[in-house]
Every structure is written in structure tokens, then in C-alpha cells.
């Protein structure tokens, strides 16, 4: 999952980014609405986490701009002073959720996962395809009920493919879900490496990752329920 975090408190931003990295989220961090706008113009994100009080203005102005141009990206608002009026106003302006500082990072992650499921019209917390099950919250993969050890990026890539079972996902789309602007030295060929690792770890499964030349990858199950 590619997340844009707009937060001008450097310690808070660093803590959230480090936590998201452990959770397998690719998190880009900016500290102004201007930088956030630039990112949104050149990159698609699955979620924006937006602080209200920023150095160069009010985060709600960016929220309104996004909604005025019909940008449907889910937005979770953050604030240390979330009065009832502010919460109502933010939701009416198009925010999908809000969280009051200070907060537990586990709750933030849970809200992020819930917003992602809502955006994908997928209420189930666990993804099951054939003999593979993936729990994004627990960061676990099981093959026929047995745990399979995977790195966070392997989990993220598998998550993307499983949520799009039967559909071809381009290398570029997979790359965007795994890496941030700070990973400029990483090339698209890294996706081939991660796919090869996942295939090896899921050897013997009835779920297969298929390569579609010049198009990308898809995941399919041979099981017929």
C-alpha cells in the first residue's frame, strides 16, 4: 500500500513512517500542503494521512482541493485539537476518517487497513485464495494452514496480487505499491526478484503467479470450489 503522510512535526512523521515500514506500507512523507499537492499530481496513493495544522496552511484546504477535482483517494485527518465542529467540518469536506493526537500506532494501522478495505469494497480482514491465506493485520501468510516466512515487501506484493486475483497487474503498479520516492535507486527489475522469491516460498501451492510478457503479473488458483 502506498501512503502519503502530510505531517510537519518531524518526530511524529518519523515515528509513523518507521511504523508503516514495519507494517509493509510504502510511506512518502512531506511537511507542507504544497509538497503534498506536487506528490498527488505525479503519483497515485491508496491513502492520504493529512494533518490539519501545517506550516504553510490548513490541511483542510488541500482536502477541499482534492475533492473539488474529484480525487477519490481516501483521506484520514490528524489533529491535536479535534473539536466536534472540526470533526464534522472535516467529514463534510470529504475526509473519510479522523484521529486525535496523541494516538496508538496500532489504532492508526487498523484505521488505515479499514479504509483500504472500504476503498476496495472488500470487508474481509483476511484474504483467502486457494490454499493461501494472508492476514494483513497480523502480517502472516499461510499455505495449507502452515506459516510461510516472508519479508514485508514480499507480503505487500503478494497482498496486491491476491486482492486482484485473476487480473493482470503491471510491474509499474506493483512497484508503486512497494517503494517510495526515496527509493529512486531501485529499478523495476526488483519486482522480478520479489516474484521469484514468492514463487519459491509458495512452491507446491495450487496458487500460481503468472507472468504476462510486457504486461505484468497475475495470480490464479487451480482449485475449483
Amino acid at each position: 500500500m502506498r501512503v502519503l503522510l502530510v505531517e510537519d512535526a518531524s518526530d511524529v512523521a518519523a515515528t509513523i513512517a518507521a511504523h508503516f515500514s514495519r507494517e509493509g506500507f510504502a510511506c512518502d512523507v512531506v511537511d507542507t500542503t504544497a509538497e503534498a499537492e506536487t506528490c498527488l499530481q505525479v503519483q497515485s496513493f491508496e491513502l492520504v494521512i493529512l494533518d490539519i495544522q501545517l506550516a504553510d496552511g490548513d490541511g483542510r484546504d488541500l482536502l477541499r482541493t482534492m475533492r473539488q477535482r474529484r480525487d477519490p483517494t481516501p483521506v484520514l485527518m490528524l489533529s491535536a485539537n479535534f473539536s466536534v465542529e472540526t470533526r464534522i467540518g472535516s467529514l463534510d469536506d470529504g475526509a473519510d476518517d479522523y484521529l486525535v493526537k496523541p494516538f496508538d500506532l496500532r489504532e492508526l494501522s487498523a484505521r488505515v487497513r479499514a479504509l483500504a478495505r472500504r476503498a476496495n469494497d472488500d470487508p474481509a480482514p483476511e484474504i483467502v485464495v486457494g490454499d493461501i491465506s494472508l492476514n494483513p493485520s497480523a502480517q502472516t501468510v499461510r499455505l495449507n494452514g502452515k506459516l510461510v516466512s516472508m519479508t514485508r515487501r514480499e507480503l505487500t506484493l503478494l497482498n496486491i496480487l491476491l486482492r486482484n486475483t485473476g487480473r493482470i497487474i503491471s510491474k509499474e503498479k506493483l512497484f508503486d505499491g512497494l517503494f517510495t520516492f526515496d527509493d529512486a535507486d531501485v529499478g523495476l527489475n526488483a519486482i522480478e526478484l520479489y516474484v521469484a522469491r514468492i514463487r519459491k516460498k509458495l512452491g507446491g501451492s495450487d496458487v500460481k503467479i503468472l507472468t504476462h510478457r510486457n504486461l505484468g503479473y497475475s495470480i490464479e488458483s487451480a482449485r475449483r470450489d
Side-chain angles (χ1 to χ4, degrees):
M1 178 188 297
R2 187 80 176 261
V3 178
L4 177 62
L5 172 61
V6 190
E7 169 61 69
D8 62 353
S10 58
D11 55 340
V12 174
T15 299
I16 293 175
H19 176 71
F20 278 175
S21 178
R22 292 190 295 270
E23 292 279 291
F25 304 153
C27 182
D28 290 287
V29 181
V30 296
D31 58 9
T32 66
T33 59
E35 288 178 298
E37 184 64 68
T38 298
C39 289
L40 290 167
Q41 293 293 337
V42 300
Q43 176 65 50
S44 295
F45 295 90
E46 291 176 78
L47 177 71
V48 175
I49 299 177
L50 179 59
D51 192 18
I52 286 184
Q53 297 173 319
L54 295 166
D56 68 337
D58 192 318
R60 288 169 296 187
D61 291 335
L62 175 60
L63 171 65
R64 296 184 191 106
T65 298
M66 290 175 63
R67 297 312 186 224
Q68 286 169 2
R69 65 168 177 258
R70 306 297 184 189
D71 185 339
T73 307
V75 176
L76 188 157
M77 304 296 293
L78 300 178
S79 178
N81 300 299
F82 244 139
S83 65
V84 173
E85 290 76 15
T86 301
R87 294 199 297 268
I88 293 173
S90 297
L91 292 170
D92 284 343
D93 285 336
D96 297 272
D97 200 357
Y98 59 83
L99 200 53
V100 180
K101 298 177 181 177
F103 49 80
D104 190 305
L105 290 171
R106 294 171 299 175
E107 181 180 3
L108 175 62
S109 292
R111 288 177 181 269
V112 167
R113 289 191 295 268
L115 287 171
R117 291 197 302 271
R118 187 189 307 169
N120 292 319
D121 195 25
D122 181 8
E126 186 173 67
I127 310 167
V128 179
V129 176
D131 54 9
I132 299 294
S133 62
L134 186 151
N135 188 316
S137 175
Q139 290 284 287
T140 57
V141 176
R142 293 181 182 273
L143 169 58
N144 286 317
K146 296 182 179 179
L147 279 173
V148 178
S149 177
M150 288 195 180
T151 67
R152 63 177 182 83
R153 281 186 171 143
E154 289 167 356
L155 277 164
T156 300
L157 193 152
L158 182 60
N159 189 347
I160 296 171
L161 290 174
L162 289 174
R163 287 193 181 279
N164 293 277
T165 298
R167 293 197 288 268
I168 299 174
I169 308 298
S170 69
K171 274 188 182 181
E172 291 79 7
K173 182 72 172 179
L174 292 170
F175 185 91
D176 286 345
L178 268 66
F179 300 100
T180 70
F181 290 124
D182 290 335
D183 298 310
D185 57 334
V186 181
L188 279 177
N189 288 340
I191 299 301
E192 297 177 13
L193 175 63
Y194 284 112
V195 168
R197 289 177 179 174
I198 294 171
R199 281 173 170 159
K200 184 175 181 179
K201 292 182 177 182
L202 297 182
S205 170
D206 62 23
V207 175
K208 305 297 181 185
I209 299 177
L210 307 179
T211 300
H212 302 270
R213 187 174 178 82
N214 298 324
L215 295 175
Y217 299 94
S218 68
I219 200 163
E220 306 278 355
S221 173
R223 178 179 295 181
R224 294 292 181 265
D225 297 325

